[in-house]
């Protein structure tokens, strides 16, 4: 059975790119527009991996990751953070919030899938 | 379409939205909005543009957005105050960003010098003053990739000259935090195995008795021997996500300073000490066994000693953001909406025909069919209104382009200008909005270039140095009224008149009222600018503005007070698709008069109508003389004047506020009609606004009331001369 990936990003462009790359790689893709929306989606779905942006309205990536880690149902889901640059500070904060790993934007599909494979059982 | 091309298109659409958000956010901050979410939204807009641009390798855009983003980040973090000066630079930066987006979209060139200059201005705002620092940072972005590639290159070289196989001894002891972040030791082992031949020994000696096991604990430790042709960088990369949450020791067999068996015990002791202290100290986990040279460039992360606590504010912000949830929207192709509107238009016509047929069939008004038809009519109207509402959009999308224009023209003219906008939320049909941008742009240019005085003159006149241009929109009796006003010198009437005489637009001895003089600027061929500047026009004058407004079924009028400024008022239909009209008969023809123009209808009496010269007549309505216009003669349906006593007069109000009475033969009724453009199907006909299809299936023309009134009024000599001069 194909794995389900939840992508959380406020940018339509980025959501579309993730969708294209991930569905080409055979994943089922769920989409959320911000952290708050992401948590809502999680109430009904059990994704295998979550890919999230950091800068988002309503609830940003840090808050979203913390929210997922607090949720007993989803706390064990690997979360990959999308960062625009290899910003140490941001990665560090994401890690502290409970992120599993990160993907540096701009990503190519191979890089994205490799990162997902690295954390997906 | 190629999926990437579609995404690229999405990106540019999104850029437009983000640029709009950026500008309105900056303007809000300029106006005193101190909500941190506003700054956040502005930052996010630039950040997203940069992110998307990176995906499409739009390097110019990425570079500029990065500098801009850095500045905004300083503002966001409170390191840089949002002073008026700072905001001015940032607003101009937003303009440049918008240019760069357009250039990227259209593949055109950008003014690189201007971009670079503004990027420098942005960097100069940096509280660290760190131009160099910025450059370092941007280099850093690409470093991880570069280093890895270098490593691989080195490896290739290496392979040619010596044995490519290395043996690594890896000691890997995960901490509980590794599992808490959903990392999995087994996956790390799986990835290691992909690198080469892996011998794994699991050390379960720490595993406590089953009853004492903490399910969230980490008790296992792995000793591994990896034989691979990859170098240490590749091995470390496997541990990229877990490096902070484990004790890791990687030693290369045969590498200088490698740990020998003798001091292994000491190392283990040191390691144990580290493990015990791990909970309190989330510090550098890499032990002493790794050589200095192997460390260099191997990881992109500096020692994780500097720990930034997550600000508590974050949660508060998030909670606050929750309140600002946008209402859900969908994007629909405009063509589909247009098709729907057309179909509903046909439905309305069809429904009207049906009603008429039922009436003709002689069915009683109270019959079930007639009652059902009434309901159908109501529903049709509601459907039509709802469909129209889909196309309605706030004028904001046009209004928000104006601040930039004002800034640019202010900069060129050296005038200081403040733009105040009002009623941005006023909704109007999308087609109207699209065609509003050009005339509005021109009017604003005009207001600043010609309307406002130079700062010196303003001060001399006792006015504030900063000129005011006000742009407002409001709904008035089924139309949208847009006003552009300035507090400048007003129209210089003697000058306007002398120019008009000079250009042969009016006779030298023409006696004109102030209002008439003001309206001269709308005449074709009139331009007050002695030279054609690139500001107020690419050679176009107010006549072009007037024509484009008229093409939209709108009117434009001007009110000016010397020394106090001018106000241009445009009135436009809310939609270009339907119209409430009065159906009238003129010389055997059926015409529709827009209901919005009609004030009242009356039956002229002999005593009220007075002749004025050869052709003109006036009618006295409540003791006020009003021009009486014979529609049949104006449209050349007949040569002789109609008998007022056998006709009906429609008292209409024109855009300028003047009243006239239109003489028609009879009134048939009142009806909502679907507008069918005459220009699209035939050509423009003076005095006729459009056409429609009536209930009986016949075509009727819709009267352009203002045009009819205007042509009948300006029959005095000068207009003919003017037309001759122009034509």
């Amino acid at each position: 059975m194909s794995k389900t990936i939840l992508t959380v990003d406020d940018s339509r462009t980025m959501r579309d790119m993730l969708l294209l790359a991930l569905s080409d790689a055979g994943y089922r893709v769920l989409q959320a527009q911000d952290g708050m929306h992401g948590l809502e989606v999680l109430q009904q779905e059990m994704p295998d991996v979550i890919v999230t942006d950091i800068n988002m309205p309503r609830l940003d990536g840090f808050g979203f990751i913390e929210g997922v880690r607090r949720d007993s149902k989803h706390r064990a889901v690997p979360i990959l953070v999308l960062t625009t640059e290899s910003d140490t500070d941001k990665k560090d904060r994401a890690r502290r919030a409970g992120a599993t790993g990160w993907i540096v934007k701009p990503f190519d599909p191979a890089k994205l899938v490799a990162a997902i494979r690295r954390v997906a059982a | 379409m190629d999926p990437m091309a579609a995404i690229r298109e999405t990106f540019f659409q999104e850029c437009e939205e983000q640029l709009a958000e950026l500008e309105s956010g900056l303007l809000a901050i300029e106006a005193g909005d101190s909500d941190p979410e506003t700054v956040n939204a502005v930052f996010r807009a630039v950040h997203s543009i940069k992110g998307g641009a990176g995906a499409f390798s739009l390097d110019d855009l990425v570079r500029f957005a990065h500098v801009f983003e850095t500045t905004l980040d300083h503002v966001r973090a409170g390191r840089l105050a949002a002073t008026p000066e700072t905001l001015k630079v940032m607003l101009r930066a937003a303009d440049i960003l918008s240019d760069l987006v357009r250039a990227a979209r259209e593949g055109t060139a950008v003014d690189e010098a201007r971009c670079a200059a503004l990027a420098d201005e942005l960097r100069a705002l940096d509280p660290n003053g760190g131009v160099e620092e910025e450059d370092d940072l941007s280099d850093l972005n690409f470093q991880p990739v570069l280093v890895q590639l270098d490593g691989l290159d080195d490896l290739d070289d290496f392979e040619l000259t010596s044995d490519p196989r290395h043996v690594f001894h890896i000691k890997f002891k995960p901490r509980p935090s590794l599992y808490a972040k959903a990392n999995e030791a087994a996956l790390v082992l799986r990835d290691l195995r992909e690198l080469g031949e892996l011998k794994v020994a699991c050390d379960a000696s720490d595993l406590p008795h089953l009853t004492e096991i903490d399910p969230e604990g980490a008790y296992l430790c792995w000793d591994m021997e990896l034989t691979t042709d990859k170098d240490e960088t590749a091995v470390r990369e496997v541990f990229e996500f877990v490096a902070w949450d484990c004790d890791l020791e990687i030693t290369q067999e045969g590498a200088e300073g490698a740990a020998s068996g003798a001091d292994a015990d000491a190392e283990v002791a040191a390691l144990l000490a580290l493990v015990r202290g791990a909970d309190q100290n989330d510090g550098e986990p890499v032990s002493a066994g790794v050589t200095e040279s192997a460390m260099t460039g191997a990881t992109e992360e500096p020692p994780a000693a500097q720990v930034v606590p997550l600000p508590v504010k974050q949660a508060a912000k998030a909670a606050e953001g929750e309140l600002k949830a946008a209402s859900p929207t969908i994007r629909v192709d405009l063509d589909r909406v247009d098709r729907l509107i057309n179909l509903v238009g046909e439905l309305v016509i069809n429904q009207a025909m049906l009603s008429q047929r039922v009436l003709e069939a002689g069915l009683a008004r109270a019959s079930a069919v007639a009652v059902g038809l009434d309901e159908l009519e109501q529903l049709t109207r509601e459907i039509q209104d709802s469909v129209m509402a889909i196309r309605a959009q706030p004028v904001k999308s046009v209004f928000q382009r104006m601040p930039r224009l004002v800034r640019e023209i202010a900069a060129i003219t050296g005038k200081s200008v403040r733009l105040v906008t009002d009623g941005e939320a006023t909704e109007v049909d999308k087609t109207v909005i699209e065609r509003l941008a050009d005339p509005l742009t021109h009017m604003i240019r005009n207001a600043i270039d010609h309307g406002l005085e130079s700062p010196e003159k303003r001060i001399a006149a006792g006015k504030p140095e900063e000129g005011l241009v006000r742009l407002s929109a409001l709904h008035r009796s089924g139309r949208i009224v847009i006003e552009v006003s300035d507090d400048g010198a007003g129209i210089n009437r003697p000058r306007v008149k002398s120019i008009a005489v000079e250009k042969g637009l009016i006779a030298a001895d023409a006696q004109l009222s102030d209002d008439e003089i003001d309206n001269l600027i709308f005449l074709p061929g009139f331009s007050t600018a002695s030279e054609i500047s690139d500001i107020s026009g690419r050679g176009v004058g107010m006549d072009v503005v007037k024509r484009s407004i008229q093409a939209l079924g709108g009117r434009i009028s001007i009110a000016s007070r010397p020394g106090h400024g001018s106000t241009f008022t445009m009135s436009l239909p809310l939609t270009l698709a339907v119209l409430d009209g009065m159906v009238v008969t003129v010389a055997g023809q059926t015409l529709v008069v827009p209901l919005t123009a009609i004030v009242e209808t009356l039956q002229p009496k002999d005593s009220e109508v007075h002749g004025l010269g050869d052709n003109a007549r006036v009618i006295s309505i409540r003791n006020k003389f009003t021009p009486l216009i014979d529609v049949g003669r104006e449209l050349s349906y007949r040569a002789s004047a109609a008998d007022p006593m056998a006709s009906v007069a429609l008292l209409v109000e024109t855009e300028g506020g003047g009243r006239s009475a239109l003489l028609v033969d009879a009134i048939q009724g009142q009806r909502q009609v679907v507008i069918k453009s005459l220009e699209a199907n035939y050509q423009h006909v003076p005095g006729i606004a459009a056409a429609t299809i009536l209930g009986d299936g016949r075509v009727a023309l819709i009267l352009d009331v203002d045009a009819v009134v205007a042509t009948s009024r300006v029959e005095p000599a000068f207009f003919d001369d003017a037309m001759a001069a122009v034509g």
Side-chain angles (χ1 to χ4, degrees), chain B residues 20-33:
Chain B
E21 194 161 328
L22 169 63
E23 178 158 19
S24 63
L26 287 174
L27 290 173
I29 296 169
E30 194 178 37
D33 183 347

Side-chain angles (χ1 to χ4, degrees), chain B residues 606-621:
Chain B
D606 196 22
S607 58
E608 290 168 349
V609 180
H610 307 275
L612 203 70
D614 279 349
N615 298 316
R617 279 182 292 187
V618 292
I619 179 168
S620 160
I621 299 171

Side-chain angles (χ1 to χ4, degrees), chain B residues 323-400:
Chain B
L323 300 172
K324 295 192 176 173
S327 60
T329 55
I330 57 160
R331 304 184 151 257
V332 181
D333 201 19
L334 196 58
D335 286 347
R336 295 192 189 187
V337 178
D338 285 346
R339 204 163 66 223
L340 186 62
I341 286 179
N342 263 329
L343 283 173
V344 172
E346 299 297 328
L347 181 68
V348 169
I349 292 171
N350 212 283
Q351 179 269 323
M353 278 193 205
L354 201 57
S355 297
Q356 196 150 343
R357 292 287 134 77
V358 167
L359 214 67
E360 284 164 10
L363 285 171
R365 277 224 169 259
S367 70
V369 175
V371 171
L373 269 178
D374 277 351
E375 271 166 34
L376 180 66
E377 186 180 345
Q378 256 178 21
L379 281 175
T380 329
R381 249 182 198 255
E382 250 172 70
I383 293 174
Q384 194 165 31
D385 286 349
S386 311
V387 170
M388 291 303 163
I390 297 178
R391 288 196 56 121
Q393 285 195 327
V395 288
K396 191 176 174 198
S397 59
V398 180
F399 275 24
Q400 70 191 3

Side-chain angles (χ1 to χ4, degrees), chain B residues 62 600 693:
Chain B
V62 173
E600 62 177 281
I693 302 168

Side-chain angles (χ1 to χ4, degrees), chain A residues 12-13 60 66 100 117, chain B residues 14 181 190 300 310 314:
Chain A
R12 220 161 48 238
T13 313
D60 67 9
E66 283 171 359
T100 311
R117 267 187 44 79
Chain B
E14 206 168 27
K181 286 173 192 153
R190 182 191 69 186
E300 57 191 76
L310 188 67
Q314 206 62 46

Side-chain angles (χ1 to χ4, degrees), chain B residues 563-585:
Chain B
H564 290 87
S566 316
T567 300
F568 287 87
T569 307
M570 292 186 274
S571 151
L572 296 153
L574 287 181
T575 162
L576 303 179
V578 284
L579 174 106
D580 273 309
M582 188 170 282
V583 185
V584 299
T585 313

Side-chain angles (χ1 to χ4, degrees), chain B residues 438-452:
Chain B
D438 279 347
L440 213 51
T441 304
H442 196 81
M443 283 162 72
I444 296 235
R445 284 179 170 172
N446 222 47
I448 299 173
D449 196 19
H450 299 314
L452 294 180

